Amino acid sequence: MMVDTSTLGRFHYQRLDFKRWVPILLTSHKTLFTVLWIAAFASVFVWQRSIVGGFLVFGRVTVAARPIPKLRPVAFNLTDFGGVGDGVTLNTEAFERAISAISKLGKKGGGQINVPPGRWLTAPFNLTSHMTLFLAEDAVILGLDDEKYWPLMPPLPSYGYGREHPGPRYGSLIHGQNLKDIVITGHNGTINGQGQAWWKKYRQKRLNHTRGPLVQFMWSSDIVISNITLRDSPFWTLHPYDCKNITIKHVTILAPVFKAPNTDGIDPDSCEDMLIEDCYISTGDDAIAIKSGWDQYGIAYGRPSKNIMIRNLVVRSMVSAGVSIGSEMSGGVFNVTVENLHVWDSRRAVRIKTAPGRGGYVRQITYRNLTFENVRVGIVMKTDYNEHPDDGYDRTALPILKDISFTTVHGRGVRVPVRIHGSEEIPVRNVTFQDMSIGLTYKKKHIFQCAFVQGRVIGAIFPAPCENLDRYNEQGKLVKHSASHNVTDIDYDF
């Protein structure tokens, strides 16, 4: 073993020097008093620092709970209404009594329910307008996993059909309809849907109705969801439906990456004016899936998803995609920006999926600053996603895909960076790529795959783009025109 003797020498010298000057220093009474005063002050300072936010008990620090801010004129604790956070007692009536009290305070600015630390078992319940649901640190709202306690609701009007079964669907654990001014926030408390029993019954085909989301708002506005964790939803996790002015930030959404079917993270559905930022999502399906109705029902309902900003996210989806648009997009999707997105250990990074019969459109979609890490396929556009609610859909209702841009796309460990699978019926138009460099794990000639796509590449990108795209230099001057936009080199064998 080699030893750095120069270091040992310096250390030895410092110790000897220390022994020499300490006795000299202590010969002065004034100096001794000063040293003792400084030592006492320092010890009190250290002691004070050790008890900030807690209590000192026999030399051990017990951290006190963070105070819950009062965000409304009136605040209640769930325990005021008989709530018991033991993980066994059913708290549905306590939630309902608290929400009923808040419903009478709308003209006074509403009210706040504080959920203290504990495990608060409950069946589904409905929120009211002008309310804040605040989850303290270590507070967990647990969804009762017996479907007999979950109410049945009509199919969504833009779907006309339960997503998994005809007829009614189960409601959500936390639900709101025709509401305004709703806040769900906290000190990162958790809403846990205990979806394991639901997933098992779904796989065994023991459910007669479509599973319910964890949190769902319908026909509501002015919604803020922040600083909480959502996990193990029976179905889609957070589903705003035909809502306006929604902010979702600093939210963690979790579900097992395998064997947790359809546990999408956030599904904006016919929503407008929406911000999703600073979130971490790892689920058993799409982390985010923007929707607007299904086939003829979505076309008839006619509510697009629009004006959506998604930024500063880290996401993972081992079986689906990080951020998807569709496949249910029959009411249209436009003016969506996805920026500062990191997708890791996923099957696909960003995807647009549709099919004949959907109708609608996907346009004005902007992707900026994307990072892919260990992703099988980076960018996907798929036009043959043939799932339909029934045989009544119009096969001539063809969606429009156009005006889609990708700027600053980087990554490593990607097998196929781009797969744009347009068709003769549904061509993809006006796609732009600029500033792309992706490290590959698979070497093949057609690694950038295209079919029936028209667009352009600006500047140099890696890997080399498909022949369907026009080439422009950094100054925007045409360098090479595509010979054909309809060339097909799609390869699904890898």
Side-chain angles (χ1 to χ4, degrees):
M1 176 179 178
M2 297 183 64
V3 178
D4 185 347
T5 56
S6 63
T7 303
L8 291 175
R10 286 195 300 272
F11 180 71
H12 182 64
Y13 172 81
Q14 290 167 350
R15 291 190 60 181
L16 290 176
D17 189 61
F18 179 78
K19 289 179 180 179
R20 182 168 58 82
W21 63 257
V22 167
I24 296 172
L25 180 65
L26 296 182
T27 57
S28 167
H29 295 291
K30 185 180 291 186
T31 304
L32 177 60
F33 177 80
T34 301
V35 170
L36 292 174
W37 185 88
I38 293 172
F41 177 82
S43 64
V44 171
F45 177 76
V46 170
W47 177 76
Q48 287 178 331
R49 288 289 301 272
S50 70
I51 63 171
V52 170
F55 305 99
L56 190 67
V57 181
F58 300 111
R60 295 172 57 191
V61 176
T62 302
V63 178
R66 282 189 285 175
I68 295 176
K70 188 176 180 181
L71 305 176
R72 299 280 182 177
V74 179
F76 303 109
N77 287 329
L78 187 61
T79 51
D80 298 338
F81 299 89
V84 179
D86 59 4
V88 177
T89 303
L90 196 61
N91 291 282
T92 315
E93 291 184 0
F95 278 109
E96 289 174 342
R97 286 192 290 265
I99 292 165
S100 177
I102 289 175
S103 69
K104 300 176 176 63
L105 301 172
K107 294 182 179 179
K108 299 178 180 179
Q112 174 174 327
I113 301 176
N114 298 328
V115 183
R119 294 170 63 81
W120 308 88
L121 185 67
T122 180
F125 60 88
N126 296 321
L127 302 184
T128 189
S129 292
H130 309 294
M131 76 165 283
T132 296
L133 178 64
F134 193 101
L135 280 71
E137 189 174 12
D138 298 322
V140 182
I141 296 177
L142 289 172
L144 190 65
D145 61 6
D146 186 343
E147 69 269 20
K148 293 193 297 290
Y149 289 84
W150 288 59
L152 289 175
M153 302 181 68
L156 295 168
S158 61
Y159 286 68
Y161 183 100
R163 190 59 182 80
E164 298 172 330
H165 293 277
R169 60 190 176 91
Y170 289 108
S172 57
L173 178 65
I174 297 178
H175 193 80
Q177 273 185 222
N178 300 299
L179 304 182
K180 187 173 184 178
D181 181 22
I182 304 296
V183 178
I184 302 177
T185 188
H187 289 148
N188 201 32
T190 299
I191 302 173
N192 187 330
Q194 299 201 100
Q196 293 82 356
W198 292 91
W199 309 332
K200 183 178 180 180
K201 290 175 182 177
Y202 170 76
R203 290 194 299 267
Q204 295 174 347
K205 302 187 185 303
R206 292 165 52 197
L207 294 172
N208 296 318
H209 307 287
T210 299
R211 291 166 289 154
L214 185 63
V215 179
Q216 183 180 60
F217 292 100
M218 302 175 63
W219 306 301
S220 299
S221 65
D222 306 321
I223 301 165
V224 176
I225 300 175
S226 67
N227 298 297
I228 60 169
T229 295
L230 307 174
R231 70 178 307 144
D232 295 344
S233 174
F235 191 56
W236 300 343
T237 303
L238 178 51
H239 184 214
Y241 178 83
D242 199 353
C243 293
K244 298 179 181 180
N245 194 19
I246 310 149
T247 298
I248 300 169
K249 62 190 301 181
H250 300 300
V251 172
T252 300
I253 301 179
L254 303 171
V257 293
F258 294 116
K259 298 184 179 179
N262 309 108
T263 49
D264 296 9
I266 304 172
D267 285 20
D269 203 338
S270 294
C271 290
E272 63 178 279
D273 302 332
M274 185 168 184
L275 171 64
I276 303 171
E277 67 177 354
D278 302 320
C279 296
Y280 176 83
I281 306 174
S282 176
T283 59
D285 208 299
D286 295 321
I288 294 177
I290 301 173
K291 303 175 181 293
S292 65
W294 201 9
D295 286 2
Q296 71 271 31
Y297 304 104
I299 294 170
Y301 193 71
R303 302 280 202 284
S305 280
K306 61 182 180 179
N307 308 334
I308 298 174
M309 167 65 80
I310 299 169
R311 64 189 181 197
N312 308 333
L313 266 61
V314 177
V315 300
R316 177 173 66 157
S317 175
M318 294 288 284
V319 301
S320 198
V323 175
S324 284
I325 297 176
S327 71
E328 308 94 332
M329 40 61 66
S330 300
V333 176
F334 76 96
N335 195 25
V336 175
T337 298
V338 180
E339 65 181 17
N340 304 334
L341 174 73
H342 186 110
V343 185
W344 68 286
D345 282 9
S346 295
R347 185 175 180 86
R348 306 169 189 90
V350 295
R351 175 170 64 166
I352 297 172
K353 48 183 177 174
T354 187
R358 290 287 191 272
Y361 50 83
V362 175
R363 57 183 175 86
Q364 293 175 243
I365 313 297
T366 301
Y367 298 92
R368 283 195 298 261
N369 195 21
L370 310 181
T371 302
F372 307 153
E373 183 177 0
N374 297 326
V375 171
R376 184 177 176 89
V377 186
I379 295 167
V380 183
M381 297 187 203
K382 185 176 175 64
T383 58
D384 59 351
Y385 201 84
N386 288 306
E387 288 185 352
H388 303 283
D390 52 46
D391 291 333
Y393 69 95
D394 180 1
R395 288 162 177 77
T396 66
L398 302 175
I400 297 169
L401 275 61
K402 68 175 185 176
D403 304 335
I404 303 163
S405 67
F406 300 87
T407 305
T408 312
V409 182
H410 300 290
R412 62 185 180 88
V414 178
R415 198 168 189 186
V416 178
V418 177
R419 179 180 285 152
I420 303 177
H421 194 176
S423 66
E424 190 171 3
E425 289 181 305
I426 309 172
V428 180
R429 294 286 178 253
N430 195 27
V431 178
T432 302
F433 293 91
Q434 185 174 11
D435 185 17
M436 173 185 284
S437 179
I438 296 179
L440 305 175
T441 61
Y442 195 90
K443 303 298 182 184
K444 193 160 183 170
K445 181 178 180 181
H446 297 304
I447 203 74
F448 193 124
Q449 301 180 6
C450 297
F452 294 91
V453 56
Q454 173 268 324
R456 61 187 177 274
V457 172
I458 300 175
I461 70 171
F462 181 84
C466 59
E467 296 297 323
N468 307 54
L469 303 173
D470 300 332
R471 312 285 184 92
Y472 289 77
N473 63 20
E474 295 287 357
Q475 291 71 41
K477 182 179 179 180
L478 180 64
V479 175
K480 182 182 178 182
H481 194 73
S482 169
S484 172
H485 302 310
N486 300 334
V487 173
T488 299
D489 55 17
I490 301 293
D491 185 354
Y492 282 104
D493 292 336
F494 65 103

